[in-house]
Amino acid sequence: MSADTVLSKLKEINGKYSMFHAMTEDTSADGASFLFSAKDNLTSMDMETCSGSKILIGYRPAFDATSIAKMRAAGGKLIGKTNMDEFGFGTFSTNSGLEVPRNPYDLERACGGSSGGSACAAAVIEDHVSLGVSTGGSICCPASFCGVYGIAPTYGRVSRYGLIDYGNSLDKIGVLSAKATDLKKYMKIIAGKDEKDPTSCVQPEFRTDYRMMKSVAIPKEGTEGLSKDVEAAFKDSVENLVRMGIDVDYVDMPSLKYAMPAYYVLATSEASTNLARYVGMRYGQQEGDLSLKFDDYFTSFRSQYFGDEAKRRILLGTFTRMVGFRDRYYAKALQVRKVVIDDYKRILADHDAVLAPTMPFTAPRFDDISKMSALDSYKADYLTVPANIAGTPHMSVPCGYDSNGMPVGMQFVADHWNEDVLFSMAEDWEKEFDMKAPEVGA
């Protein structure tokens, strides 16, 4: 499908899948080398940027995020900003204050979160790449649910300048695509140190010759609590890896069970601080009652425009940072983060990657999600959270399908700055795996 054809059908396709919050009005590619989309928490000059929240409706940034600017400089044309959970707070992209994207394999199911719209766009638009952002699994989860490839790089590999942050020490900008070769191609474009972002690093260049994956370690704790379909697909995939000549070892990684509570303390602490700026005076909506005192205005505005999950995380993050609780929760969470990093370093000293299913189940139906408690939703990320708090590069690849035809993904975690081994694995796996594209129509 040509770029011009994609643009001419964009609104029609979006009407079915709700993957974009904002889209280009152009119907011509104008000579662009490629089309791309970006998660709605990456600023872009020519499109409204809302980070999935009603509180930012009307916000049109004055600058591009560095990752978007680099994609444009490489000849790309931004065609849309993808729907997401509000400020990245969620596992299914159902916590959006705007539109909820629909899974390309079943419109009654979720795309995953929080980069759900990005994964959907990568799945349904031919030869398309989308920029996503991962905090606790927000690239790999939707990649798994939508049957595409997704990579979150080493923390600091890609500039966060222009990112509307969820958790500053956790957020990573990465790539989602239905083609494995796109991971390396577009990661090379957006990576690199940026003087505008103090957390971006002077970093080793991507290798021109791949370091092939020879061995993986599977944590025993990472194979617990799986649905039968995910367990069966993962088992078949492991057998396939062995046939490909990759050594597979089962190891103990006890820190996995502590990563989840540590993540929610760290992430919500940072989120509550980041969201303090949204008081209805500088960004987005500014239609509050200005006759109120500041505290009353602040409270009424945030109560009206923040969703339930945003409020929940503000409360939790504020609590864990309070005097008297900071050492009990936040300081201990930082210690757990160090333990998780040490566990990865120990295992990766003898293996190229740590492997587990990406998610414990396939994409759930919207009516089932509505019955989940907040805690049930949080627990779903227990396989993706550890790599995120460790800042290690990780990648989800499609590895099977359940009895309903819904995709299953598996996640590889490599050591810091070793994205090359993930690129090689993705491209080798693509040759072995029979990928089933969704039936796309409007």
Side-chain angles (χ1 to χ4, degrees):
M1 187 184 297
S2 70
D4 288 345
T5 302
V6 169
L7 290 170
S8 67
K9 294 184 176 181
L10 200 58
K11 287 185 179 180
E12 191 177 5
I13 295 173
N14 192 58
K16 180 177 181 180
Y17 297 103
S18 298
M19 52 195 169
F20 295 128
H21 166 63
M23 293 179 292
T24 180
E25 296 294 329
D26 296 340
T27 56
S28 171
D30 299 324
S33 302
F34 60 91
L35 305 180
F36 75 100
S37 56
K39 193 172 179 178
D40 195 32
N41 57 352
L42 292 168
T43 58
S44 56
M45 289 190 293
D46 51 353
M47 293 183 194
E48 184 179 61
T49 300
C50 297
S51 199
S53 179
K54 292 180 180 178
I55 209 165
L56 278 174
I57 289 176
Y59 176 48
R60 299 185 71 88
F63 60 95
D64 281 338
T66 295
S67 54
I68 289 180
K70 287 187 172 184
M71 292 286 274
R72 292 193 204 263
K77 181 179 180 64
L78 178 66
I79 65 170
K81 306 298 291 297
T82 58
N83 279 313
M84 55 179 286
D85 286 301
E86 184 176 16
F87 291 104
F89 302 153
T91 305
F92 306 114
S93 290
T94 53
N95 288 333
S96 173
L98 307 172
E99 302 88 11
V100 175
R102 297 181 176 276
N103 194 290
Y105 289 84
D106 183 346
L107 299 180
E108 296 305 314
R109 295 177 184 267
C111 286
S114 61
S115 305
S118 292
C120 182
V124 304
I125 301 176
E126 189 175 345
D127 295 325
H128 187 72
V129 63
S130 189
L131 299 181
V133 179
S134 180
T135 308
S138 295
I139 287 177
C140 286
C141 167
S144 176
F145 282 178
C146 292
V148 297
Y149 294 84
I151 186 168
T154 303
Y155 181 84
R157 173 72 86 173
V158 179
S159 171
R160 290 171 39 250
Y161 180 75
L163 169 64
I164 299 174
D165 272 308
Y166 167 2
N168 303 57
S169 72
L170 296 159
D171 294 337
K172 296 164 291 297
I173 299 168
V175 171
L176 297 104
S177 176
K179 297 170 62 178
T181 51
D182 282 348
L183 301 188
K184 179 188 75 167
K185 178 181 178 180
Y186 293 102
M187 278 303 308
K188 289 178 70 174
I189 291 174
I190 64 175
K193 181 170 175 55
D194 180 7
E195 296 298 332
K196 297 176 182 176
D197 174 17
T199 63
S200 72
C201 299
V202 174
Q203 55 197 255
E205 296 290 332
F206 291 122
R207 295 166 62 108
T208 55
D209 58 321
Y210 281 160
R211 181 164 66 84
M212 308 304 288
M213 189 173 290
K214 298 178 180 178
S215 65
V216 296
I218 301 176
K220 297 172 184 176
E221 298 84 353
T223 59
E224 300 171 356
L226 307 177
S227 71
K228 291 182 179 180
D229 286 331
V230 170
E231 185 176 13
F234 183 67
K235 181 180 178 181
D236 290 343
S237 297
V238 171
E239 292 174 356
N240 201 9
L241 290 173
V242 173
R243 287 193 293 271
M244 293 168 63
I246 296 175
D247 293 330
V248 176
D249 295 322
Y250 286 85
V251 299
D252 293 314
M253 192 173 177
S255 63
L256 282 185
K257 62 183 178 182
Y258 303 113
M260 176 65 69
Y263 164 78
Y264 275 101
V265 170
L266 295 172
T268 57
S269 295
E270 295 177 14
S272 66
T273 303
N274 283 322
L275 266 60
R277 73 192 71 170
Y278 302 109
V279 296
M281 300 182 73
R282 295 184 64 189
Y283 306 101
Q285 298 282 358
Q286 298 178 20
E287 299 177 354
D289 183 359
L290 296 177
S291 67
L292 296 173
K293 293 182 179 179
F294 176 73
D295 286 349
D296 294 332
Y297 177 85
F298 181 106
T299 300
S300 64
F301 189 88
R302 290 160 68 86
S303 298
Q304 179 180 353
Y305 289 109
F306 275 144
D308 290 342
E309 188 59 32
K311 295 172 184 175
R312 184 180 294 115
R313 299 198 187 202
I314 290 171
L315 291 171
L316 178 58
T318 303
F319 174 78
T320 58
R321 291 184 295 104
M322 289 173 60
V323 174
F325 297 101
R326 189 179 298 119
D327 290 342
R328 185 185 302 179
Y329 297 109
Y330 187 75
K332 285 186 177 179
L334 290 173
Q335 293 173 338
V336 171
R337 171 183 254 175
K338 180 63 165 60
V339 172
V340 174
I341 293 172
D342 289 345
D343 250 4
Y344 273 122
K345 292 291 185 183
R346 170 180 60 83
I347 296 171
L348 291 171
D350 300 316
H351 301 85
D352 291 317
V354 175
L355 173 65
T358 306
M359 297 298 290
F361 46 75
T362 55
R365 295 177 58 87
F366 290 118
D367 51 2
D368 291 330
I369 293 171
S370 65
K371 300 172 186 175
M372 290 184 182
S373 67
L375 186 58
D376 290 334
S377 178
Y378 295 169
K379 287 179 179 178
D381 296 326
Y382 76 92
L383 294 169
T384 59
V385 157
N388 280 270
I389 68 172
T392 49
H394 49 285
M395 169 187 72
S396 180
V397 304
C399 72
Y401 300 89
D402 71 6
S403 56
N404 295 310
M406 300 304 296
V408 177
M410 61 180 177
Q411 177 180 262
F412 294 88
V413 182
D415 203 356
H416 296 104
W417 312 113
N418 281 354
E419 286 88 352
D420 61 289
V421 74
L422 300 181
F423 297 149
S424 71
M425 184 67 249
E427 295 181 21
D428 287 345
W429 182 255
E430 187 175 44
K431 298 171 186 175
E432 299 290 330
F433 180 68
D434 183 18
M435 188 169 176
K436 301 174 183 177
E439 295 182 8
V440 179

